[in-house]
Amino acid sequence: MADTDTATEILARARMAGLHRFAELYPDALIRAGEGMARHLANIPASDDPATEPATYFTP
Amino acid sequence: MHFLSIVEIGRRYRSGTLTPRDYVEHLIARVKRLDGKLNAFLHLDERAARADADKAGAELAKGHDRGAFHGIPVGIKDIVAIAGDVTTAHSRVHDPKPETRDAAAVAALRDAGAFPFGKLALHEHALGGPAFDLPAPSARNPWDLSRMPGGSSSGSGAALAAGLMPAAIGTDTGGSIRGPAGFCGIVGLKPTYERVSRQGVLPLAWSLDHIGPMTRDVRDNALMLNAMTNGAEDFAREIGRPIAGMRVAYAKAWHMRDVPCEPAVAEAMDAAAERLRSLGAEVVEIDPGEFAAYGSTNWTILAAEAFAVHEKVMRERPEDYGARARELFAAGAFVSAADYIRAQRARTTLKAKLDAILDTHDALLCAGAGLQPCAIDDPAAIARLLGSSLRGAFNLSGHPAMALPAGFDAQGLPLHVQLATATNSEAKLYRLAAAFEAADTDKRHPAEFA
């Protein structure tokens, strides 16, 4: 389970995303979701290859 | 009769020994008798099914033959639109108005003479199951009713394995066709991205969503893909050709190194590699890199896109979702725009890695998951099971990927393998899968549904 500072930060981010009601009703679920997402974000490999820049797939 | 292949059903229709109406009556009777313990169906419009069967029977009797799927009932996962029906997504969160037109895949199947046979259970909005706080119960695994059938196309996998229909539509964003196909012992294909139109299908994550066929054997699956794509290509054309000389890359490291793996799965994978070798294929071990990179990149993109789909309801009435879907959808609130772009950039490099493997090999063999289906009411075990999935890589890359039966474990649960080929190479995938399937000597059905 997240420490108090981490939990507070997760709930603040959730409110910034508009999940005020969610944060009131289900704070533990949000904290679990935030912690889980952080673990996944840490696994994403970095890419500085210009061929992967967004302009290559967000074509108008 | 309920475990006949579509090829055999068609043969009987055309020889006059079976009519679509008689076949549908048989299936309706089975659904009434058996689905109470399986929960594969959310809704079955018996009257429409009978009318559609009669129409197909009359056309066939007049010699107006639309091909292999003429008169074939097809189950529809309930995020896929059928004109006149409400699409519920197995959730309280849905539009209560009936659909005004069929999804493109359903329309294509109708053009091929097939017709819908029920709206099937799924994990809530293709993500959140199994769960016990939804408006309808979750589908169960016909091989062991205490276990989960995989998801999210849970009803499709369960109904096929139980002999309640010969074909079903599934959708797959991180493995949702291949998971239930594998855990229920049937064949499920996630085709190349956008091979089958997504029009009329509720989105989970636009850039990862795939629509595909689920059947009990490989040839039926290829014929269903033909029908779902309006006959644009004959995907069964290579079935029956030998596979001697084909090169298969075996990603053994994924299940042995990167996820928890049961001995039965490891043994089944090595046995599958040996089976392909015995058929003349050259199987070589390769390492596509740690699976966590693929799995986490897939989940990041999925979470962000799914949150964009559900943001309004998540803000205003989150209590309308089941607890499991609610928590999973919330993950997307923690993905920044920079995270999403970072994941899309990683996706490009990871796809290139798989492309490089599939440029020099005819197929990639890997496990679908390291673990076998667990108890349906054990959230911790379900989390472990999902954490052992090896399917999301091919949603990222868009390559066609199939779950294919590969024997049984000591508890009598089906084992499976995953095969993938290069983009738009479904015909080659079916050729390899059909040869693998033909060499399978253990073809059984769930005892409670025989």
Side-chain angles (χ1 to χ4, degrees):
Chain A
M1 197 65 189
D3 61 42
T4 306
D5 286 351
T6 304
T8 301
E9 185 186 330
I10 287 172
L11 292 174
R13 285 194 64 185
R15 289 191 178 95
M16 283 174 62
L19 298 182
H20 303 278
R21 182 173 172 77
F22 199 125
E24 280 175 30
L25 293 172
Y26 311 109
D28 290 347
L30 274 180
I31 292 165
R32 284 194 299 272
E35 284 188 303
M37 200 68 243
R39 285 193 291 274
H40 283 291
L41 293 174
N43 287 335
I44 299 175
S47 171
D48 54 7
D49 179 350
T52 69
E53 288 174 1
T56 63
Y57 47 87
F58 292 138
T59 46
Chain B
M1 178 155 68
H2 36 274
F3 288 117
L4 291 177
S5 69
I6 289 162
V7 171
E8 178 58 25
I9 294 164
R11 196 172 289 135
R12 293 189 186 192
Y13 283 172
R14 287 161 184 83
S15 69
T17 56
L18 180 67
T19 66
R21 176 62 180 263
D22 288 344
Y23 182 55
V24 159
E25 291 294 352
H26 178 75
L27 295 181
I28 289 172
R30 278 182 66 78
V31 172
K32 286 182 171 173
R33 183 159 55 86
L34 298 169
D35 195 51
K37 50 187 173 184
L38 198 63
N39 306 326
F41 281 75
L42 295 176
H43 174 65
L44 175 58
D45 186 341
E46 295 176 32
R47 184 182 298 181
R50 289 185 175 107
D52 287 336
D54 286 344
K55 181 182 169 205
E59 287 179 345
L60 284 165
K62 284 185 204 160
H64 177 46
D65 193 333
R66 296 172 189 249
F69 263 68
H70 203 162
I72 300 299
V74 178
I76 312 293
K77 182 177 181 178
D78 199 15
I79 56 169
V80 181
I82 298 175
D85 282 3
V86 173
T87 305
T88 73
H90 207 140
S91 175
R92 280 178 286 274
V93 180
H94 67 263
D95 186 341
K97 294 193 296 293
E99 302 284 356
T100 55
R101 62 174 179 157
D102 288 331
V106 173
L109 284 162
R110 284 197 201 271
D111 285 346
F115 53 89
F117 188 71
K119 300 301 288 285
L120 301 179
L122 63 149
H123 291 178
E124 186 174 16
H125 278 281
L127 186 65
F132 297 91
D133 56 356
L134 302 179
S138 291
R140 290 174 176 267
N141 193 316
W143 294 92
D144 178 345
L145 292 168
S146 72
R147 294 178 191 255
M148 67 176 286
S152 65
S153 307
S154 49
S156 305
L160 278 161
L164 303 185
M165 60 186 54
I169 290 181
T171 67
D172 192 318
T173 308
S176 287
I177 286 173
R178 291 160 287 157
F183 291 157
C184 291
I186 60 148
V187 178
L189 176 79
K190 180 202 78 61
T192 300
Y193 183 66
E194 289 199 322
R195 173 73 92 172
V196 177
S197 170
R198 290 177 287 119
Q199 185 274 319
V201 182
L202 290 179
L204 173 58
W206 299 278
S207 78
L208 300 166
D209 290 344
H210 297 65
I211 322 301
M214 299 174 73
T215 58
R216 281 189 292 269
D217 71 40
V218 172
R219 182 178 291 276
D220 284 356
N221 203 281
L223 295 174
M224 185 170 173
L225 186 60
N226 287 352
M228 293 174 84
T229 53
N230 298 102
E233 186 177 332
D234 178 12
F235 295 103
R237 66 183 182 273
E238 292 190 29
I239 289 177
R241 287 178 57 187
I243 65 165
M246 288 179 84
R247 283 171 53 78
V248 178
Y250 177 23
K252 184 172 181 174
W254 273 359
H255 63 269
M256 294 303 291
R257 178 192 65 201
D258 296 341
V259 295
C261 183
E262 293 181 24
V265 172
E267 288 164 18
M269 289 307 304
D270 285 347
E274 278 310 306
R275 191 192 300 179
L276 290 170
R277 286 189 185 105
S278 74
L279 294 166
E282 181 190 351
V283 182
V284 291
E285 281 188 37
I286 51 93
D287 184 356
E290 285 190 21
F291 190 82
Y294 296 89
S296 290
T297 301
N298 190 69
W299 173 240
T300 299
I301 294 169
L302 194 164
E305 294 185 8
F307 188 71
V309 173
H310 290 272
E311 183 178 18
K312 185 172 189 297
V313 185
M314 285 285 285
R315 285 178 171 173
E316 294 175 358
R317 42 189 180 95
E319 62 273 28
D320 284 4
Y321 294 98
R324 185 163 174 74
R326 188 164 56 226
E327 185 169 327
L328 289 166
F329 284 135
F334 303 102
V335 181
S336 69
D339 294 330
Y340 180 74
I341 289 175
R342 194 159 57 89
Q344 289 286 15
R345 297 188 75 175
R347 177 187 201 166
T348 303
T349 58
L350 294 168
K351 178 182 186 304
K353 274 191 188 183
L354 295 177
D355 278 337
I357 293 167
L358 291 168
D359 280 349
T360 52
H361 300 80
D362 291 292
L364 195 159
L365 168 71
C366 62
L371 301 178
Q372 286 285 80
C374 61
I376 196 168
D377 55 357
D378 184 341
I382 291 169
R384 282 195 298 276
L385 178 59
L386 295 177
S388 81
S389 173
L390 294 164
R391 303 179 182 103
F394 304 111
N395 296 84
L396 273 185
S397 69
H399 294 120
M402 176 185 286
L404 189 62
F408 294 85
D409 67 15
Q411 295 166 298
L413 297 170
L415 291 152
H416 70 285
V417 300
Q418 188 172 208
L419 282 169
T421 51
T423 302
N424 293 325
S425 295
E426 283 88 348
K428 186 195 283 184
L429 179 49
Y430 282 124
R431 171 183 173 185
L432 193 64
F436 184 87
E437 176 186 66
D440 187 353
T441 55
D442 190 352
K443 294 184 166 89
R444 43 180 130 155
H445 301 295
E448 283 197 63
F449 298 89

